[in-house]
Amino acid sequence: MAFAHELLLFPLEREVQAAAQQLHDSSDWNARLAVAWGLRQLNSPRAQALAVALLQELEESQEQTAFMDPAALSTMRARLHLVQGEVAMLMMRLDDAQACVERARAELQAHPNPCVQADLHGLQASIHADRGDVDLQRDAQQNALDWADQAQDAERQLYYRACLARADLFLDFELARATWSEQLPASGEGLSAQCRAALADYRALEHGLASDYVEAAAFLEQSYEASLESGQVRRAIGAASNLGYSYTSISDFETALAWLKKGLAVARRVRWPGAIGLCLAQTGEALRRVGQTESARELLRECLQTLAQHPHSRTAMMALDYLGQAELDHGHYEEALKHFELLGQRERHSHSSDMRTGVVLGRARALMHLGRLDEAKSVALEAIKAATAQQQRSDLVELRALVAEIERRSGATPDTVLSWLQLALEQAQALEAYQPKPELLDAAAEALSQAGRPEEAYAMERRAMAARQAAWATASRHARQQVEVARNERQHARQQAQAKEERLAKLQAAHEQLQQLVVLGREIWRQRSPGLIFTVLCRELRSVLGAEVLAVYRRDASGQTLVMGESSKGEHEGLPLKIAVSDPDSPCAACSRDWTERHESRAPGPTRIFAPMVGDDANPAVLVLELPEGQAWGTREQGILRHLSTDAALAFKRAMV
């Protein structure tokens, strides 16, 4: 291994582990320092123990140190303080980490060492970043690069240049990209592992902030591998977590959850609160995207609790943003607005301009749901300007869809609403591998229908259904995995048994519901006659939703008349045998025309529901049901009905050929 003043910033993991295995108590000071330095992220407890022991030995061996070069001794002590400082920083003990930095700085006052001082300022930048002091972080990164330049250390020069460039992307994306892209190598070919990791991390963020998520993911995978190779465990965890975010952004939830699970496994192994918090935040957002809102809220609150002492850290701000979105999904609009207003204050404090769009987008959504439509529209249009300036193209998809919804709620014409939705879909089309959310496709289908374009509306609704079913499948797989994880963790953390049992029960319920839909759909599909299909459908909807199926209506050969097909004996009184599709007063006819569910209250008494059976026909059938008085009917029930009625529609078509 190298002498103290020649230590690599991140030696290769295999070399460090080999040296650590050969180390013993009588090893010379330089060998023990080199192992402590190399293990600071690979094995933080051992690195800390080695540093403490060696500092104490240097203090007690004054007779030996009296004959050492004072500069070499100061360098050795400074590096040992930096080892302790980095371990404290990783454990989020930031005051302790700062104290270690100051002790290292004092050691170097009389005997400056440019390489050590570059690493000191690199650690100082990480401490500022975890406090949310973005401007101070940037200054420290610049100082690290200046000292690396003074040392003429090519490895450190490139490494700290990539770190500074990455920090600048958060402050001003366009300026940073123009400033740094040409100054950094286009690829990592031929570079050391430590520099490949930092360079790929910069390129990934450059593409990610521009919504080029496929390119970002490719660079993040490079950074992850090179980080592990060079012992940069913190960067590896961040890369895995950001891979989860990148795949979440293009709706590849299965791949996203796989990477998040990988990152969280590494983070739990090293037990660093900041790394665990980052993984919890990104996993929470992925779960929110697949509809597991309760589980998402739990993880995001756990993340914020973990980082409660550092509310301005970037991870805490991300978690607050995601929690606000989860509260919106859950219908807690006042709570969501408070989260986004608090996030706005923190964003202004930390100058994190890339988060500004998320803040404004969240506020606009909350204001819309609270009925403050004029304010919501003004905020959303402001957010569109900010997202355009920052080239946050995926945010533009959501913002334009949001303006469309605000316009719809404000009573705008169908064409006005549709124009905003088309802009959103065009933006989505321009993003490689980006998958629009089912809600956007639903809104577009409804707007097309209202605008008198039924064929396009039907095609759009089918896209929405396919996207929704893909999300259900991913949620089911993840729920099953999480159930197993919770069962295994319970054996190792008895003190958290109650919380994990609650999480297990919720995940088990979600998994069982999704699996039940698959089983019910298969049962419908196995039937070979319309009568049997109808009988099974009636039984399943009664069992799952408590709803009684009255009848199925289909269009006749002319396409102008709805004719009652299968019906429940004695349960279709008041329903005509035939209905003109053009009948303006019939909810059944209206449902057939625009593929929109209708509810007809019969207070006191049951509620009658007219629901389209959307399979793959241009003119779907209409299913008529009745709910008992007071029976709940929400998003869950509507999703189950759509799933089973689609399976039945396809089964009916096959049986009637």
Side-chain angles (χ1 to χ4, degrees):
M1 300 291 288
F3 287 99
H5 62 287
E6 298 173 342
L7 289 178
L8 295 173
L9 180 57
F10 285 104
L12 293 177
E13 188 265 351
R14 63 176 181 272
E15 294 180 358
V16 175
Q17 299 291 11
Q21 289 178 0
Q22 297 174 7
L23 197 69
H24 45 79
D25 292 341
S26 61
S27 296
D28 67 72
W29 290 341
N30 277 319
R32 288 149 67 188
L33 169 62
V35 170
W37 180 256
L39 287 177
R40 62 195 194 279
Q41 290 192 19
L42 291 169
N43 188 337
S44 296
R46 189 178 181 198
Q48 171 78 0
L50 285 169
V52 170
L54 187 50
L55 276 170
Q56 184 176 355
E57 192 170 332
L58 289 173
E59 183 68 26
E60 294 172 351
S61 304
Q62 295 185 8
E63 291 184 3
Q64 292 175 266
T65 58
F67 295 98
M68 286 183 65
D69 177 4
L73 183 59
S74 291
T75 293
M76 181 175 288
R77 285 176 173 154
R79 281 219 181 273
L80 290 169
H81 288 310
L82 291 183
V83 169
Q84 292 182 300
E86 186 158 349
V87 172
M89 180 269 296
L90 292 170
M91 296 301 296
M92 294 299 285
R93 300 197 309 268
L94 301 185
D95 290 341
D96 292 346
Q98 187 63 51
C100 291
V101 167
E102 296 307 325
R103 286 194 287 271
R105 199 190 308 272
E107 286 287 351
L108 296 170
Q109 281 183 347
H111 305 285
N113 181 311
C115 281
V116 182
Q117 283 166 304
D119 299 343
L120 181 152
H121 286 285
L123 176 57
Q124 182 71 78
S126 296
I127 295 170
H128 287 318
D130 285 341
R131 291 190 190 278
D133 296 328
V134 177
D135 292 335
L136 292 177
Q137 175 198 1
R138 204 270 173 197
D139 292 343
Q141 290 284 16
Q142 181 65 65
N143 289 336
L145 177 57
D146 291 344
W147 279 108
D149 287 341
Q150 184 173 329
Q152 296 184 340
D153 185 314
E155 287 284 298
R156 282 181 168 83
Q157 285 175 307
L158 178 52
Y159 180 88
Y160 285 122
R161 188 172 290 115
C163 291
L164 177 59
R166 190 179 190 280
D168 281 354
L169 284 172
F170 289 122
L171 296 173
D172 189 323
F173 174 70
E174 283 300 323
L175 178 61
R177 187 162 64 168
T179 302
W180 291 107
S181 288
E182 298 302 321
Q183 295 188 37
L184 294 170
S187 77
E189 186 175 356
L191 300 179
S192 66
Q194 76 169 22
C195 290
R196 286 203 314 275
L199 178 64
D201 205 0
Y202 165 78
R203 294 295 181 192
L205 182 62
E206 180 184 33
H207 285 283
L209 291 178
S211 301
D212 295 328
Y213 296 114
V214 175
E215 285 294 320
F219 279 112
L220 283 169
E221 289 196 31
Q222 294 176 26
S223 181
Y224 177 79
E225 296 297 334
S227 295
L228 290 181
E229 184 182 354
S230 57
Q232 298 182 68
V233 179
R234 193 188 197 200
R235 192 187 295 276
I237 294 169
S241 179
N242 288 328
L243 273 160
Y245 177 82
S246 296
Y247 283 111
T248 296
S249 298
I250 58 175
S251 300
D252 186 352
F253 299 113
E254 185 173 3
T255 306
L257 289 168
W259 274 106
L260 291 167
K261 181 180 178 182
K262 185 180 295 187
L264 188 56
V266 178
R268 290 197 186 281
R269 174 173 58 79
V270 296
R271 299 182 182 276
W272 301 334
I276 292 173
L278 176 62
C279 294
L280 290 173
Q282 300 291 34
T283 305
E285 172 64 358
L287 289 176
R288 182 189 75 83
R289 294 285 192 97
V290 297
Q292 294 194 35
T293 312
E294 278 298 331
S295 297
R297 291 165 75 204
E298 288 178 9
L299 290 180
L300 293 168
R301 286 170 178 161
E302 184 181 346
C303 171
L304 289 171
Q305 185 176 4
T306 300
L307 302 175
Q309 301 301 313
H310 311 287
H312 292 96
S313 71
R314 182 170 183 81
T315 299
M317 291 171 66
M318 284 194 317
L320 188 59
D321 182 7
Y322 298 156
L323 182 58
Q325 300 292 349
E327 297 293 2
L328 284 178
D329 293 346
H330 213 261
H332 298 164
Y333 306 127
E334 290 284 3
E335 192 69 22
L337 184 59
K338 291 177 184 177
H339 288 324
F340 289 118
E341 288 176 344
L342 176 60
L343 180 60
Q345 296 171 13
R346 293 180 181 176
E347 175 270 318
R348 288 189 292 273
H349 174 272
S350 64
H351 301 162
S352 298
S353 60
D354 65 297
M355 302 192 75
R356 195 165 301 146
T357 303
V359 172
V360 185
L361 176 59
R363 285 187 59 228
R365 282 181 174 147
L367 290 167
M368 179 191 72
H369 286 295
L370 290 169
R372 295 157 62 178
L373 299 180
D374 290 340
E375 292 178 74
K377 183 176 178 181
S378 175
V379 171
L381 292 175
E382 175 191 343
I384 287 176
K385 291 181 182 178
T388 302
Q390 289 291 325
Q391 291 197 14
Q392 294 169 323
R393 295 181 293 163
S394 62
D395 287 335
L396 285 172
V397 177
E398 296 192 43
L399 284 165
R400 288 165 176 167
L402 177 61
V403 174
E405 178 62 13
I406 295 170
E407 294 283 19
R408 186 188 71 78
R409 295 186 182 210
S410 301
T413 65
D415 286 339
T416 300
V417 175
L418 186 58
S419 66
W420 281 103
L421 290 169
Q422 286 174 328
L423 285 173
L425 289 169
E426 288 170 6
Q427 182 66 72
Q429 183 87 21
L431 298 175
E432 185 180 358
Y434 184 91
Q435 298 296 323
K437 295 179 181 178
E439 294 79 7
L440 171 58
L441 300 172
D442 282 334
E446 182 179 349
L448 286 164
S449 178
Q450 294 292 329
R453 295 156 65 175
E455 292 183 1
E456 295 173 74
Y458 172 69
M460 192 66 69
E461 185 61 38
R462 290 200 61 198
R463 283 182 63 189
M465 182 164 294
R468 188 171 288 107
Q469 288 176 338
W472 283 346
T474 300
S476 176
R477 282 189 291 271
H478 179 69
R480 183 170 59 253
Q481 293 169 354
Q482 289 295 96
V483 166
E484 294 303 319
V485 169
R487 285 174 176 161
N488 293 334
E489 286 185 347
R490 189 174 49 188
Q491 299 173 7
H492 304 289
R494 295 291 182 185
Q495 69 276 20
Q496 297 180 349
Q498 183 177 356
K500 289 180 179 177
E501 284 292 343
E502 292 174 358
R503 181 181 298 179
L504 175 63
K506 291 175 182 177
L507 291 168
Q508 186 74 54
H511 170 59
E512 289 174 355
Q513 178 180 314
L514 291 164
Q515 289 297 99
Q516 183 183 20
L517 288 177
V518 174
V519 172
L520 294 176
R522 288 173 181 167
E523 180 64 21
I524 290 172
W525 188 251
R526 279 199 289 265
Q527 309 310 315
R528 289 295 182 266
S529 71
L532 289 174
I533 293 168
F534 183 77
T535 299
V536 172
L537 180 63
C538 291
R539 184 176 68 240
E540 291 179 352
L541 289 176
R542 184 184 306 112
S543 171
V544 178
L545 299 179
E548 294 292 337
V549 180
L550 301 186
V552 173
Y553 281 88
R554 301 185 185 84
R555 294 198 186 193
D556 63 7
S558 70
Q560 303 304 312
T561 304
L562 288 168
V563 180
M564 182 185 291
E566 295 73 30
S567 63
S568 303
K569 291 182 179 180
E571 293 291 341
H572 59 268
E573 289 83 354
L575 289 175
L577 296 176
K578 294 185 178 182
I579 305 170
V581 173
S582 59
D583 187 339
D585 300 320
S586 169
C588 188
C591 177
S592 177
R593 290 194 301 269
D594 62 16
W595 302 286
T596 302
E597 191 177 290
R598 295 289 196 284
H599 288 226
E600 186 179 79
S601 297
R602 296 171 166 250
T607 298
R608 189 163 286 179
I609 298 176
F610 300 85
M613 298 183 69
V614 180
D616 58 359
D617 292 321
N619 297 310
V622 177
L623 189 64
V624 186
L625 311 90
E626 275 193 350
L627 285 179
E629 185 177 5
Q631 179 82 12
W633 189 264
T635 303
R636 170 187 169 274
E637 289 76 14
Q638 190 178 57
I640 290 172
L641 175 60
R642 288 179 178 176
H643 184 98
L644 294 179
S645 64
T646 297
D647 289 339
L650 295 171
F652 274 131
K653 181 178 180 181
R654 183 193 61 182
M656 298 173 72
V657 172

